[in-house]
Amino acid sequence: MKTTPKSRSVSRAKGGRAVSPASNDPHAPEDIRDAISRLKRETIVAAAVELFYKKGYARTTLEEVADAMKVTKPFIYAHFKSKTELLAEICMRGTRLSYAALLRATAQQGTPTEKLEAITRDFMLAVLNHQAHAVIYSREEKELDPADREAINELRREFGHRLVAVVEEGVRSGEFSVEDVPLTALAIIGMVGWSQVWFRPTGRLTKEKSAQGVADLALAMVQAKRPRKSRVLPKAA
């Protein structure tokens, strides 16, 4: 991802003196400074995702990320302390988005069947909408600092616990027939997670159709008893 010279965050006046960006202006409103800072972080993350995905984390330097953005390394260090911290941000994003999808689904009114369908569908859309992030995480997890790895794993464990609770709710209500609830939850998570490997934007199915298809498979796994739809009989001639 490249920015034009006009969009550089560190511009220079005559004589080489650095011009302070709006985010460093003490007189700028705090919300504007925050918005500019978030935008800069997003730009850095986007450039890093593209390079880490194509070249791999170990073979990509922060200098290359800076060059892709047409900025200097100090610009990146102003927002991320290290390349490892940048990797942690990329890897954590997909997990956060998946967890947010689960929280939305479990907070809504509805049956366990409706909740499980929404969780699986939205979880998969979170993976597919950030497919490069998911691929980077699966390839580069070992490169994370132990604390960052544990933070991500803790959120993933919480996701699993909440998914188990939804399946258990369905079993108690008689909607689901499941012998091993934790194993079934792991299978659903694995099925969705694997989509980052096989999904192709130019393939036979769109993201939405893929997500709904996998949601239907998850409901089949738990033998969900959907309410029967009333048949519309043809009128007599």
Side-chain angles (χ1 to χ4, degrees), residues 33-237:
R33 294 200 301 272
D34 288 345
I36 293 172
S37 180
R38 286 195 300 271
L39 178 60
K40 290 177 180 178
R41 284 177 63 89
E42 290 299 314
T43 305
I44 294 168
V45 168
V49 165
E50 185 174 348
L51 288 170
F52 290 176
Y53 182 74
K54 289 180 178 178
K55 296 183 60 177
Y57 172 79
R59 293 189 296 274
T60 301
T61 66
L62 282 184
E63 186 172 2
E64 288 174 310
V65 176
D67 288 345
M69 300 171 59
K70 299 188 184 303
V71 298
T72 60
K73 276 200 297 185
F75 174 84
I76 296 176
Y77 284 127
H79 300 277
F80 295 95
K81 295 177 182 178
S82 64
K83 191 171 77 160
T84 307
E85 185 178 293
L86 180 53
L87 175 66
E89 174 64 24
I90 293 168
C91 292
M92 177 60 89
R93 287 198 175 194
T95 305
R96 286 200 205 104
L97 290 167
S98 300
Y99 188 66
L102 181 145
L103 291 180
R104 286 194 301 271
T106 53
Q108 72 182 13
Q109 297 295 320
T111 66
T113 298
E114 291 168 337
K115 290 179 181 178
L116 182 59
E117 181 178 17
I119 290 168
T120 308
R121 182 186 62 244
D122 294 350
F123 173 21
M124 184 155 169
L125 285 174
V127 171
L128 296 184
N129 286 331
H130 296 80
Q131 191 173 4
H133 295 68
V135 171
I136 291 168
Y137 172 70
S138 66
R139 286 193 320 213
E140 313 292 358
E141 180 185 3
K142 63 184 183 298
E143 301 286 355
L144 290 167
D145 283 343
D148 293 327
R149 187 185 307 116
E150 177 56 26
I152 294 172
N153 287 336
E154 178 60 30
L155 195 55
R156 288 163 66 89
R157 284 192 291 270
E158 181 63 22
F159 184 101
H161 295 328
R162 287 180 178 269
L163 182 57
V164 163
V166 171
V167 178
E168 287 177 337
E169 181 186 356
V171 172
R172 287 194 301 270
S173 69
E175 288 182 46
F176 301 162
S177 179
V178 177
E179 290 292 330
D180 190 325
V181 172
L183 179 61
T184 301
L186 284 173
I188 292 170
I189 292 171
M191 180 170 60
V192 174
W194 185 247
S195 65
Q196 53 98 353
V197 175
W198 60 258
F199 181 79
R200 295 291 180 272
T202 57
R204 181 173 61 88
L205 298 174
T206 63
K207 292 177 184 178
E208 291 72 21
K209 287 184 178 179
S210 297
Q212 186 58 54
V214 169
D216 290 341
L217 288 173
L219 295 180
M221 288 172 64
V222 299
Q223 302 181 59
K225 300 174 179 62
R226 288 180 179 271
R228 293 178 177 271
K229 293 182 179 180
S230 58
R231 292 181 61 195
V232 178
L233 297 176
K235 295 182 179 180

